[in-house]
Amino acid sequence: MKKNSFRAWLLAARPKTLTGAAIPVLIGCSLAHWQGQFQGLPALLCLGFAFLMQIDANFMNDLYDYLKGSDRADRLGPERACAQGWISPKAMKRGIVLTTLAAAVCGLCLLAYGGVWMLPVGLACIAFAFLYTAGPYPLAYHGWGDLLVLVFFGFVPVGCTYYVMAHTWNLPVALASLACGLVIDTLLMVNNFRDRDQDAVSGKRTLVVRFGARFGLVFYYLLGMLACWCCFYFLSCGKPLAALLPQFYLLPHIFTTIKMARIGRGRELNLILGETSRNMLFFGLLLSAGLLM
């Protein structure tokens, strides 16, 4: 791998994680379309902001986990750019600045649609992307990761995508946001389940480290179940397909949970990471289709 090459940056951006940025925007757009409020340009701006912030967060995690010594030789997850020497820490810092600026440009353009109050939301996204693994109190190291996923991959992107088009907030948006955040948190739970032994050594007190592997497995399963149960609310809105279609997500989710329990530990759990990403994309497509029909 050539140092600081395009391929190195592409791998550091972790493109497989970008489904987590696309799904909330897709659901927010589907909600807006249902209400007859969909607009193309703000939808693209929301998608651009979400993608850039996801990449920004990936760069920050890559850099600060390396600087904290968390990315050791016994790392089980996908290889990290700084730890492998593909990108120098100095270059990564420049990449973080440029990506943050690009995301800020998208965010500022959204002010024309969502109003001035979108500014503190955008600043909070940037701040928490940094505080997740950096700063004197890195939130991911103290068990706050799951709550942050619920907020910044659920309520913020789904709700704000809907708001910049419809200029309102309602209970269907809140339930869809909650379902989205829950299902995306399954991806974080797989990472924490796989890395529990290494995280314990690094002082990273995730929920799995605190409460054990069995808790992580059950919590992973319940996250998917709760996401599907949230969708039953749409029966009361005259949207039966938005309630029923997401239930088809449960079958692959259950199979993946069983496989995760069977594997238990080690690098083979990276297969579960891929399946979980596929499953949550399936959920997002099913819920969006149900809202659009």
Side-chain angles (χ1 to χ4, degrees), residues 123-185:
L123 291 173
C125 291
I126 294 171
F128 279 97
F130 174 78
L131 294 172
Y132 187 74
T133 49
Y137 187 84
L139 297 169
Y141 284 71
H142 293 84
W144 292 98
D146 300 277
L147 180 60
L148 291 175
V149 167
L150 200 61
V151 173
F152 289 99
F153 286 87
F155 290 99
V156 169
V158 176
C160 288
T161 298
Y162 177 81
Y163 183 85
V164 297
M165 302 179 201
H167 302 288
T168 188
W169 177 280
N170 51 45
L171 191 55
V173 176
L175 267 296
S177 299
L178 179 59
C180 182
L182 288 168
V183 82
I184 291 178
D185 193 34

Side-chain angles (χ1 to χ4, degrees), residues 67-89:
L67 294 177
K68 290 177 184 296
S70 300
D71 288 340
R72 303 185 307 273
D74 61 348
R75 175 177 168 79
L76 300 176
E79 293 174 328
R80 292 282 187 87
C82 286
Q84 294 296 321
W86 300 340
I87 297 175
S88 67

Side-chain angles (χ1 to χ4, degrees), residues 48-59:
F49 181 80
F51 274 168
L52 288 166
M53 283 309 308
Q54 177 69 63
I55 292 169
D56 206 19
N58 290 341
F59 286 170

Side-chain angles (χ1 to χ4, degrees), residues 15 39 45 91 93 121 138 144 147 181 205 251 267 269 286 289:
Q39 300 175 59
L45 288 170
K93 288 177 182 177
V121 175
W144 292 98
L147 180 60
R205 302 287 291 169
L251 189 60
R267 283 192 171 85
L269 284 168
L286 288 170

Side-chain angles (χ1 to χ4, degrees), residues 18-264:
L18 296 183
T19 52
I23 292 167
V25 177
L26 177 63
I27 293 173
C29 289
S30 301
L31 287 162
H33 187 276
W34 168 31
Q35 302 293 334
Q37 302 289 339
F38 177 77
Q39 300 175 59
L41 185 55
L44 288 174
L45 288 170
C46 286
L47 187 61
F49 181 80
F51 274 168
L52 288 166
M53 283 309 308
Q54 177 69 63
I55 292 169
D56 206 19
N58 290 341
F59 286 170
M60 291 182 191
N61 293 347
D62 195 304
L63 174 64
Y64 289 103
D65 278 345
Y66 167 72
L67 294 177
K68 290 177 184 296
S70 300
D71 288 340
R72 303 185 307 273
D74 61 348
R75 175 177 168 79
L76 300 176
E79 293 174 328
R80 292 282 187 87
C82 286
Q84 294 296 321
W86 300 340
I87 297 175
S88 67
K90 185 177 179 180
M92 185 63 82
K93 288 177 182 177
R94 288 198 299 267
I96 290 169
V97 171
L98 291 174
T99 310
T100 303
L101 289 174
V105 170
C106 284
L108 289 172
C109 292
L110 282 168
L111 296 180
Y113 297 94
V116 178
W117 84 270
M118 295 294 291
L119 186 60
V121 175
L123 291 173
C125 291
I126 294 171
F128 279 97
F130 174 78
L131 294 172
Y132 187 74
T133 49
Y137 187 84
L139 297 169
Y141 284 71
H142 293 84
W144 292 98
D146 300 277
L147 180 60
L148 291 175
V149 167
L150 200 61
V151 173
F152 289 99
F153 286 87
F155 290 99
V156 169
V158 176
C160 288
T161 298
Y162 177 81
Y163 183 85
V164 297
M165 302 179 201
H167 302 288
T168 188
W169 177 280
N170 51 45
L171 191 55
V173 176
L175 267 296
S177 299
L178 179 59
C180 182
L182 288 168
V183 82
I184 291 178
D185 193 34
T186 59
L187 198 63
L188 177 65
M189 188 52 58
V190 175
N191 277 308
N192 291 345
F193 182 83
R194 179 199 62 212
D195 296 338
R196 59 191 185 273
D197 295 330
Q198 290 74 25
D199 286 345
V201 173
S202 302
K204 194 173 182 179
R205 302 287 291 169
T206 65
L207 293 182
V208 182
V209 171
R210 290 172 186 268
F211 301 112
R214 184 178 294 274
F215 169 86
L217 195 63
V218 172
F219 194 60
Y220 174 87
Y221 173 70
L222 289 178
L223 285 168
M225 289 290 294
L226 289 171
C228 290
W229 291 347
C230 287
C231 296
F232 283 123
Y233 168 79
F234 291 104
L235 288 171
S236 66
C237 303
K239 279 287 180 181
L241 289 177
L244 299 177
L245 285 180
Q247 308 312 313
F248 287 101
Y249 156 85
L250 284 176
L251 189 60
H253 177 66
I254 290 169
F255 285 147
T256 300
T257 305
I258 293 170
K259 188 183 292 186
M260 182 173 165
R262 189 175 68 247
I263 295 172

